[in-house]
Amino acid sequence: MDDYQYFIDQVKQKTAIDLSYYKETQMKRRLTSLRDKRGFANFEEYYKAMTQEQELFEEFLQRMTINVSEFFRNPQRWTVLEKKIIPRLLKNQSSIKMWSAACSTGEEPYSLVILLNQFLTYKQIDLLATDLDQSILDRAINGFYPERALKEVENKKLQTYFEKQDLGYSVNDEVKKPIRFGRHNLLHDKFETGFDLIVCRNVMIYFTEDAKDKLYQKFADALKPGGVLFVGSTEQIFNAQRYGLETEDTFFYKKME
Ligand SMILES: C[S@@+](CC[C@H](N)C(=O)[O-])C[C@H]1O[C@@H](n2cnc3c(N)ncnc32)[C@H](O)[C@@H]1O
């Protein structure tokens, strides 16, 4: 068997992470450079060492996931969310159930709570925030950010929702309360249902077409009728109707009612 394929199979058995759903050229390049850096001649040796040394395994996990994020990433899209999508969703209801899927270090779920707090109290907001990587989630729960992650946050919001620290800002505890952080593998785990809004941005680009196809259907099934899937700014869905979705605005897909 091919050495990389052996690695894929072993990792899948040990962790339920299926690397074959990630675009191969990109993933293999990233992992080969890490493997070489650690001095292993092939993937089999690298995998064996990983099973004995937790640090090597965690380093692998961090390399395979790309965790870049920021508050209100692509601000114009967040303006559409605030001015158009949320007002429609809240027309006949006074609470909201949302999911930030692949939330990385937390900038996205905290941006959602801050935006929704313009409309609702914290108690009326329910937000599931998940990622594959527990160490990333720990950073999200901690809620400390250097200034560069906050460049799109207006001063007034900084003052209301954050506390200044020596080297950056911490999110206030009340902003954390509506969020249920949890580990979740999009390619393996069951989806909760009944969401008004699912935000899944800048992770689908790493997946194969086959994986994307399955995921779009699962997201559509997890939405309430009229609910919205908000995707990243390079992640347009070309045949949204196939999944029972229609374009409400660029990068926002509404589940048909
Ligand atoms: C580039 S970040 C996106 C963060 C945020 N959504 C944003 O747009 O700023 C991609 C995240 O996807 C996560 N990820 C990768 N594969 C995943 C999977 N199979 N299930 C859940 N999360 C995954 C990574 O751990 C990483 O935190």
Side-chain angles (χ1 to χ4, degrees):
M1 192 196 293
D2 169 71
D3 183 45
Y4 185 60
Q5 189 56 48
Y6 167 87
F7 184 77
I8 290 183
D9 291 349
Q10 296 302 313
V11 168
K12 186 174 170 190
Q13 271 179 34
K14 182 176 149 74
T15 65
I17 294 171
D18 191 345
L19 294 168
S20 67
Y21 284 127
Y22 291 76
K23 289 178 188 156
E24 179 168 330
T25 339
Q26 236 177 329
M27 183 59 79
K28 198 170 168 184
R29 191 180 338 111
R30 296 170 67 74
L31 295 180
T32 306
S33 80
L34 183 61
R35 182 200 78 186
D36 292 350
K37 195 167 138 195
R38 292 289 161 254
F40 298 100
N42 55 48
F43 276 108
E44 188 175 342
E45 276 180 27
Y46 181 42
Y47 176 75
K48 285 194 178 127
M50 250 169 55
T51 58
Q52 281 150 21
E53 265 184 70
Q54 183 69 14
E55 270 177 26
L56 276 181
F57 175 67
E58 278 171 19
E59 187 184 49
F60 149 75
L61 201 59
Q62 267 171 23
R63 177 58 65 98
M64 68 149 287
T65 60
I66 294 168
N67 304 116
V68 185
S69 193
E70 66 185 76
F71 282 82
F72 302 101
R73 188 173 187 174
N74 312 114
Q76 287 168 341
R77 298 294 98 210
W78 287 82
T79 305
V80 173
L81 182 66
E82 180 180 351
K83 304 282 183 222
K84 179 172 174 182
I85 310 292
I86 298 294
R88 179 184 62 76
L89 288 172
L90 293 180
K91 221 177 214 162
N92 299 314
Q93 62 188 64
S94 54
S95 65
I96 192 160
K97 177 171 169 169
M98 304 180 287
W99 180 16
S100 166
C103 69
S104 188
T105 32
E107 291 87 335
E108 184 176 278
Y110 291 130
S111 300
L112 280 168
V113 172
I114 292 169
L115 189 149
L116 261 299
N117 188 234
Q118 317 298 308
F119 300 83
L120 299 172
T121 64
Y122 293 117
K123 281 211 167 104
Q124 293 167 314
I125 305 169
D126 175 26
L127 172 55
L128 175 67
T130 60
D131 199 277
L132 180 66
D133 184 349
Q134 185 60 49
S135 63
I136 284 295
L137 283 172
D138 292 342
R139 282 171 57 190
I141 293 164
N142 186 37
F144 171 82
Y145 299 95
E147 281 192 25
R148 82 185 126 74
L150 295 148
K151 67 180 169 51
E152 299 299 344
V153 184
E154 299 157 12
N155 264 337
K156 193 160 172 261
K157 289 196 174 115
L158 264 186
Q159 281 159 23
T160 312
Y161 297 105
F162 296 84
E163 195 168 313
K164 178 89 182 88
Q165 309 286 350
D166 279 349
L167 297 169
Y169 288 82
S170 289
V171 173
N172 289 344
D173 279 347
E174 56 191 9
V175 183
K176 297 181 179 176
K177 281 198 185 130
I179 309 181
R180 297 181 278 131
F181 283 105
R183 193 175 169 272
H184 182 275
N185 181 351
L186 284 167
L187 299 169
H188 181 264
D189 297 329
K190 264 199 151 155
F191 284 18
E192 218 177 283
T193 54
F195 292 104
D196 298 294
L197 176 68
I198 297 176
V199 182
C200 184
R201 309 184 72 213
N202 305 303
V203 63
M204 299 292 258
I205 33 165
Y206 303 113
F207 297 154
T208 61
E209 290 307 312
D210 180 40
K212 281 187 214 175
D213 183 50
K214 291 191 183 113
L215 274 176
Y216 288 137
Q217 192 57 60
K218 287 176 81 176
F219 281 133
D221 294 344
L223 285 169
K224 285 184 194 160
V228 170
L229 173 64
F230 176 18
V231 301
S233 290
T234 54
E235 298 173 319
Q236 214 144 0
I237 309 178
F238 289 106
N239 42 5
Q241 318 82 287
R242 236 181 103 174
Y243 311 106
L245 299 170
E246 60 189 346
T247 307
E248 182 164 11
D249 205 301
T250 325
F251 309 115
F252 292 93
Y253 299 92
K254 176 179 160 188
K255 179 166 174 172
M256 291 175 200
E257 293 176 81

